[in-house]
Amino acid sequence: MEGLSKGRSKVIYFYSKSPIGRIYIASTELGICRASLNPSREDFLQKIEEASGIKPVYEPEAFIPLAEKLESYFRGERVEFRVSFDFLWGTEFQKKVWTILSRIPYGSLTTYGQIASQVGRSKAFRAVGNAVGMNPVFLIIPCHRVIRSDRTLGEFSYGKDIKMKLLKLEGSLNLVRLDSLGYP
């Protein structure tokens, strides 16, 4: 099994209800490997098993501290998710982008171009956008904090409404130009 050869012997998961939907989160011994909003349980588990070679086990008690942080986050409290990650898939470029995303502070925004510069490929903002869209760890790696250089919202895998809700919750929606969406 590929997962075992990379230092993984177990994958655990849980889910948490939130104001925006159900969030499924999985982890190996090395760190969080996936977080998704409103997936089907079967699809979520299948993707992880295909990538790791290990069947995920439901262990909600292992996620109690993270579940408490999620609850605090959705109450509008400033939360920094300080966790390790275990990227089961992705190119080296994508993994670099995801690592940079994980460091965007609560209440802050960055642009695709700024991330491209940080990975040493200043003209690769489209490739950065693709990597951001492939982020395997929803919310905990805050890809919703990435906007276009003209300060417009940009895309989001879970839709612009969810992106706006998260930015509003964090107090940074006022930093985005919403006129492109028909807002005053």
Side-chain angles (χ1 to χ4, degrees):
M1 283 186 181
E2 179 184 343
L4 294 176
S5 67
K6 293 190 176 187
R8 300 175 196 101
S9 62
K10 188 174 188 180
V11 179
I12 58 175
Y13 78 97
F14 90 116
Y15 67 88
S16 176
K17 294 179 183 176
S18 81
I20 59 171
R22 188 174 283 197
I23 301 171
Y24 276 83
I25 299 176
S27 182
T28 69
E29 300 96 314
L30 303 175
I32 303 292
C33 60
R34 186 146 186 95
S36 299
L37 178 65
N38 291 325
S40 80
R41 180 182 166 275
E42 294 76 23
D43 287 347
F44 180 78
L45 297 177
Q46 180 181 358
K47 282 186 178 195
I48 295 164
E49 187 170 356
E50 287 172 0
S52 69
I54 303 167
K55 185 176 177 114
V57 177
Y58 183 65
E59 286 191 18
E61 61 281 349
F63 293 91
I64 290 172
L66 182 57
E68 289 170 351
K69 280 191 170 209
L70 286 170
E71 288 174 12
S72 295
Y73 176 85
F74 284 110
R75 281 194 306 266
E77 297 173 22
R78 184 180 194 90
V79 172
E80 298 290 342
F81 295 101
R82 302 248 187 256
V83 297
S84 298
F85 299 103
D86 183 11
F87 299 124
L88 299 177
W89 51 83
T91 65
E92 288 308 310
F93 177 80
Q94 288 171 327
K95 291 174 184 181
K96 285 180 187 175
V97 169
W98 300 335
T99 299
I100 290 168
L101 291 176
S102 72
R103 297 180 187 137
I104 303 170
Y106 183 100
S108 298
L109 300 177
T110 193
T111 67
Y112 299 99
Q114 289 170 321
I115 294 171
S117 292
Q118 290 178 26
V119 294
R121 295 180 53 193
S122 61
K123 298 199 185 293
F125 55 90
R126 283 191 182 94
V128 166
N130 288 333
V132 170
M134 301 291 291
N135 173 15
V137 186
F138 166 74
L139 189 66
I140 298 168
I141 294 180
C143 57
H144 60 279
R145 297 178 186 157
V146 182
I147 60 172
R148 293 181 175 142
S149 59
D150 66 359
R151 309 303 289 173
T152 56
L153 203 57
E155 299 302 318
F156 189 59
S157 297
Y158 296 102
K160 289 183 180 183
D161 286 343
I162 297 292
K163 185 171 184 171
M164 287 173 50
K165 285 178 184 178
L166 295 174
L167 295 178
K168 183 177 181 183
L169 182 72
E170 295 179 8
S172 56
L173 186 60
N174 61 326
L175 303 173
V176 178
R177 281 189 40 228
L178 298 177
D179 55 332
S180 65
L181 297 172
Y183 295 95

